[in-house]
C-alpha cells in the first residue's frame, strides 16, 4: 500500500488509482496516516483478494484503506 502511494503521489495524472491483487493476509498494521495522505493526494485504492480462506483480521486493515479512499473491494473465490 505504501509503495502504491509513493508511486502515485507525484504522478502528473488526472486520476490516481491503485489496484492491489493479493492473498489479503496482512499484519495488524495501522494505515491511518497513509490513508490520510492518500486522501490528501486524491488517490483511490482498490483491492482484489484471492480468497483462500483468510481470516477477516488479515483482510480488514486493507479493506479500511479501500473504504476510506473511495476505492472498491473484490473477493475472488474461484480463480479457475
Amino acid at each position: 500500500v505504501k509503495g502504491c502511494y509513493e508511486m502515485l503521489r507525484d504522478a502528473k495524472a488526472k486520476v490516481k488509482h491503485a489496484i492491489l491483487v493479493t492473498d489479503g493476509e496482512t499484519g495488524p498494521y495501522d494505515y491511518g496516516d497513509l490513508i490520510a495522505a492518500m486522501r490528501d493526494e486524491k488517490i483511490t485504492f482498490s483491492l482484489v483478494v484471492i480468497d483462500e480462506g483468510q481470516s477477516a483480521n488479515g483482510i480488514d486493515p486493507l479493506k479500511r484503506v479501500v473504504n476510506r479512499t473511495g476505492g472498491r473491494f473484490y473477493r475472488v473465490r474461484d480463480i479457475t
Side-chain angles (χ1 to χ4, degrees), residues 3-72:
C4 295
Y5 168 74
E6 290 172 348
M7 289 174 56
L8 289 172
R9 77 174 159 216
D10 298 324
K12 304 292 186 233
K14 200 173 203 180
V15 175
K16 298 179 184 184
H17 184 80
I19 302 171
L20 177 64
V21 179
T22 180
D23 65 3
E25 287 298 324
T26 186
Y29 187 78
D30 179 9
Y31 289 103
D33 291 340
L34 192 54
I35 290 167
M38 290 175 84
R39 289 173 60 117
D40 287 346
E41 297 293 332
K42 296 180 177 35
I43 297 171
T44 54
F45 179 83
S46 288
L47 178 65
V48 179
V49 172
I50 308 302
D51 189 347
E52 297 176 332
Q54 300 88 334
S55 69
N57 290 338
I59 298 171
D60 285 348
L62 293 171
K63 283 176 68 176
R64 276 192 291 280
V65 179
V66 170
N67 293 333
R68 293 182 183 163
T69 64
R72 294 189 176 232

